[in-house]
Amino acid sequence: RHKEKWATTAPRIPSTRLALHHFDTSYGLHLGALWPSVRAALLCEQKYGALLNNFAAADHIPQELELLNATDFVSEASQKAQQWQRGAAVGEAATGCQEGSGESRTEMVTQAEMSPPLCTSSKIKCYTFPRGDITRFRPARPDALGLLDYYLMDAASLLPVLALSVQPDDFVLDLCAAPGGKTLALLQTGFCGHLAANDVSVSRTKRLYHILHSYVPKEVRDTVSVTSYDGRDWDQVKGGTFHKVLVDVPCTTDRHSAMEEENNIFHKRRTKERQMLPMLQLQLLMAGILAARPGGAVVYSTCSLSPLQNECVVERALDVAGAQFNISVHVEDLSHFRTLFQDTFSFFSDCRLGELVLPHLTANFGPMYFCKLRRL
Ligand code: SAM
């Protein structure tokens, strides 16, 4: 008699389909009318930015990229921020408003006051092609010493680093650092007095070493300490010492989950791991808060659209910090980022806390959620 072997013969539902089904249910509600266009963008080719490597002999790269019509979105935002600051200082805002985006004088002054010197002081340069232009960057090339000229990354990944606003000689912790795109961006500021880059995964830490070797000269690499601790235990190692902490947590990596079968967290056998993500994220964020010195800043980030992994984790961390550790934490307003970077990214305007970059067909970066906390 023929015996059916379900376990081996039943067709498996692809993880990408499970992911999309999950997203349709939850993000349809959360993003409402925006979801169909975000969904379409998630399923299309993503855009990259070229993070210039300040350590390479690459003076000719800006000109090469500008000839292709790419622009450095960080310096553009920085110029905007400076205009606001000047406008507010000398009372010329009204003139600037008429020439610019039509914002009211009051709005510009408020933004100038809120706008920290993050953009003006940053040495980070990242080139992107304009909205709607889907040109691809050529692969990175080595200089005479073998250092690569730029690093291709989702340009939205730079926003959490810019939000951290690293200042000269800051002690910086990158708690979940591998494969190392944001670590490299932190080094490009030229400001890290010391950088601790940690990731629990030994294999992914090897990729971090590889990036450091490909982009950073030895004397700068030597200022970075790479470790493989479970970030949740960081407080037991070096608590309360860092000026700036980046907590770029593992998440449902929505773009990857919608497109790739390999290593997909929506695979049936990873259900438990996926359901536990918000708890792991909360524990990592708590460790990040405890690693920051009083007055220090923590940026929490994910590449998911899920409010359960974004705002809810931050809200829960604020409660736990107060109730269990007697630590007050303040959420910083980053709404000026929306205005500063609106030419490059599409932002969700209804985030309860923090900022969220939405994938859009004409600006296909993200998703990227980031929220800045200050330990008081
Ligand atoms: N910041 C990285 C970058 O820009 O290249 C990406 C980080 S990725 C979103 C999340 C990382 O968290 C993964 O590399 C993963 O290995 C790490 N991770 C997961 N659980 C962790 C834990 N308990 N402690 C430290 N790192 C952890």
Side-chain angles (χ1 to χ4, degrees):
R1 200 164 73 91
H2 172 71
K3 202 171 163 190
E4 279 189 45
K5 283 194 256 164
W6 272 102
T8 50
T9 55
R12 192 175 65 78
I13 303 171
S15 306
T16 45
R17 230 178 97 193
L18 291 173
L20 275 171
H21 179 72
H22 180 93
F23 295 161
D24 283 334
T25 317
S26 50
Y27 301 159
L29 274 178
H30 182 53
L31 300 178
L34 293 171
W35 170 236
S37 70
V38 173
R39 186 187 204 272
L42 272 184
L43 295 172
C44 288
E45 188 173 320
Q46 105 183 87
K47 259 181 111 161
Y48 283 88
L51 172 69
L52 287 206
N53 185 11
N54 295 324
F55 303 116
D59 294 350
H60 58 290
I61 302 297
Q63 199 188 6
E64 177 190 324
L65 296 178
E66 278 156 26
L67 278 172
L68 297 171
N69 218 14
T71 53
D72 170 15
F73 77 88
V74 185
S75 75
E76 282 177 350
S78 153
Q79 280 160 19
K80 248 193 210 180
Q82 280 171 2
Q83 272 169 14
W84 288 348
Q85 273 153 0
R86 272 201 302 272
V90 295
E92 285 172 358
T95 328
C97 285
Q98 281 153 15
E99 288 168 356
S101 57
E103 293 152 321
S104 72
R105 182 177 188 281
T106 327
E107 197 179 328
M108 277 185 90
V109 172
T110 316
Q111 279 166 338
E113 283 158 1
M114 287 186 329
S115 175
L118 73 136
C119 291
T120 48
S121 62
S122 176
K123 293 190 186 69
I124 293 179
K125 293 184 203 66
C126 186
Y127 280 79
T128 54
F129 289 105
R131 265 184 191 267
D133 181 338
I134 54 165
T135 311
R136 293 181 190 153
F137 290 98
R138 63 155 173 81
R141 287 186 195 135
D143 69 3
L145 295 175
L147 296 177
L148 295 175
D149 50 6
Y150 56 60
Y151 180 74
L152 294 178
M153 66 194 298
D154 184 330
S157 295
L158 222 49
L159 297 177
V161 174
L162 293 173
L164 209 50
S165 186
V166 179
Q167 301 298 309
D169 301 324
D170 270 354
F171 276 38
V172 183
L173 167 63
D174 188 354
L175 192 63
C176 305
K182 296 187 189 69
T183 314
L184 180 62
L186 286 165
L187 284 172
Q188 297 300 324
T189 63
F191 285 163
C192 299
H194 175 69
L195 177 60
N198 176 73
D199 198 287
V200 75
S201 157
V202 174
S203 61
R204 285 171 68 90
T205 309
K206 283 190 186 134
R207 289 169 64 191
L208 171 67
Y209 275 118
H210 181 71
I211 289 190
L212 292 178
H213 276 265
S214 309
Y215 286 88
V216 184
K218 185 172 181 323
E219 63 275 16
V220 181
R221 273 198 321 261
D222 287 347
T223 67
V224 184
S225 59
V226 180
T227 51
S228 294
Y229 299 119
D230 184 326
R232 291 173 287 187
D233 302 332
W234 187 270
D235 189 43
Q236 289 154 29
V237 192
K238 271 182 207 158
T241 47
F242 291 90
H243 299 94
K244 303 285 156 64
V245 181
L246 180 62
V247 186
D248 186 38
V249 291
C251 67
T252 44
T253 52
D254 294 357
R255 190 183 281 278
H256 179 90
S257 297
M259 290 295 278
E260 308 281 340
E261 277 308 305
E262 203 188 319
N263 195 23
N264 192 312
I265 197 158
F266 283 85
H267 193 289
K268 277 251 176 287
R269 85 170 99 81
R270 297 183 70 186
T271 305
K272 187 94 197 126
E273 180 192 348
R274 180 165 54 81
Q275 288 168 345
M276 291 305 288
L277 273 176
M279 177 53 78
L280 172 61
Q281 291 161 340
L282 172 64
Q283 291 170 326
L284 287 166
L285 177 53
M286 281 314 304
I289 291 171
L290 294 173
R293 58 173 65 191
V298 178
V299 169
Y300 173 79
S301 58
T302 77
C303 53
S304 167
L305 297 161
S306 161
L308 288 179
Q309 298 173 60
N310 297 341
E311 299 93 304
C312 293
V313 170
V314 174
E315 283 164 343
R316 192 83 190 90
L318 299 179
D319 290 346
V320 175
Q324 284 184 27
F325 297 93
N326 201 20
I327 292 176
S328 299
V329 179
H330 165 81
V331 178
E332 293 213 347
D333 182 14
L334 289 176
S335 57
H336 56 286
F337 266 55
R338 261 182 264 159
T339 321
L340 280 176
F341 297 104
Q342 67 186 358
D343 295 341
T344 310
F345 303 105
S346 236
F347 285 90
F348 184 43
S349 51
D350 289 333
C351 249
R352 269 203 319 274
L353 284 174
E355 296 297 329
L356 177 65
V357 172
L358 296 176
H360 189 277
L361 280 173
T362 66
N364 208 353
F365 301 106
M368 181 56 56
Y369 172 80
F370 55 105
C371 185
K372 184 171 187 178
L373 309 175
R374 174 92 41 201
R375 177 174 174 175
L376 302 176

